[in-house]
Amino acid sequence: MFARLLKMATICVAAATPAVAGSARAQSTDGVEIAVTASVMERCGFSSDAAAVLNASADLEDAHSQSLVLRIDCNTPFAVTARSEEGRLTNRSASDDLSGYAFNKVYGLSLDVDTDTGLVRSGRCLSTGLVEGGDCILARPSGLVSGDGVSIGGDATLTVDWPAQSSLGRRLAAGDYSDTVTISIAARA
């Protein structure tokens, strides 16, 4: 069996050998073009280790500012949007009892995003502008766009702040206050 395979291999090699010297056939010296193609799939999102909760240890009646860093992985230009569920921090422990105390508080939110072409900033938005149809750039359907920039392993710094309650007139009722902000990131269409 091995001798038969060896004989077939010899025949194949002989068939591929150039013609004997003195033959009228010339060997081609032209090059060969080989097309190589590949692709990289678009990906865009927050890294799985991104923090999901911003716990402010400060008293809501005192002025406060706090930042949270979210890691981004977008290999294509992208857009970021943010939507507030309530448009303000709302007292979850008690409801308005007409006592004259405030039961909610408007806050500010801004987003700075690192891209390979530079920093993209939303500017400061009031939470009331982050609701559906709000006037903040982050609440618009197109969101905050990265331009031609991409961000592989870059940071998005989310900053939340609020003023001292004494500058707003009414004191806050005691209780736990919260709001849910949904931040979305996607490849630009």
Side-chain angles (χ1 to χ4, degrees), residues 102-170:
F103 286 80
N104 59 63
K105 184 168 187 168
V106 173
Y107 59 93
L109 183 141
S110 63
L111 187 68
D112 295 343
V113 181
D114 291 326
T115 75
D116 63 337
T117 60
L119 194 61
V120 178
R121 294 183 161 152
S122 69
R124 183 176 184 267
C125 298
L126 292 179
S127 55
T128 53
L130 290 170
V131 295
E132 186 72 32
D135 60 0
C136 174
I137 190 169
L138 292 165
R140 295 179 191 156
S142 59
L144 177 66
V145 297
S146 68
D148 291 330
V150 300
S151 188
I152 300 171
D155 291 335
T157 304
L158 175 73
T159 302
V160 175
D161 67 85
W162 55 78
Q165 193 65 25
S166 60
S167 69
L168 301 177
R170 296 186 330 171

Side-chain angles (χ1 to χ4, degrees), residues 2-166:
F2 179 75
R4 195 162 140 202
L5 285 174
L6 183 58
K7 185 175 181 182
M8 285 175 52
T10 305
I11 293 171
C12 290
V13 170
T17 307
V20 185
S23 168
R25 288 174 155 203
Q27 191 172 13
S28 173
T29 59
D30 293 341
V32 175
E33 276 188 29
I34 299 174
V36 178
T37 61
S39 62
V40 174
M41 298 299 295
E42 279 185 354
R43 68 179 188 274
C44 191
F46 291 110
S47 296
S48 59
D49 60 347
V53 177
L54 181 70
N55 282 322
S57 59
D59 187 327
L60 189 55
E61 289 197 325
D62 298 331
H64 183 72
S65 179
Q66 188 168 344
S67 295
L68 175 70
V69 176
L70 305 168
R71 181 72 60 173
I72 297 176
D73 184 26
C74 290
N75 68 354
T76 187
F78 58 93
V80 182
T81 59
R83 299 283 191 288
S84 166
E85 186 176 293
E86 300 286 335
R88 61 196 36 128
L89 293 165
T90 303
N91 190 324
R92 304 294 179 194
S93 307
S95 55
D96 194 344
D97 58 4
L98 305 175
S99 63
Y101 286 95
F103 286 80
N104 59 63
K105 184 168 187 168
V106 173
Y107 59 93
L109 183 141
S110 63
L111 187 68
D112 295 343
V113 181
D114 291 326
T115 75
D116 63 337
T117 60
L119 194 61
V120 178
R121 294 183 161 152
S122 69
R124 183 176 184 267
C125 298
L126 292 179
S127 55
T128 53
L130 290 170
V131 295
E132 186 72 32
D135 60 0
C136 174
I137 190 169
L138 292 165
R140 295 179 191 156
S142 59
L144 177 66
V145 297
S146 68
D148 291 330
V150 300
S151 188
I152 300 171
D155 291 335
T157 304
L158 175 73
T159 302
V160 175
D161 67 85
W162 55 78
Q165 193 65 25
S166 60

Side-chain angles (χ1 to χ4, degrees), residues 169-188:
R170 296 186 330 171
R171 300 287 305 266
L172 286 168
D176 296 320
Y177 290 74
S178 68
D179 187 20
T180 299
V181 177
T182 303
I183 300 173
S184 304
I185 189 168
R188 247 187 15 235

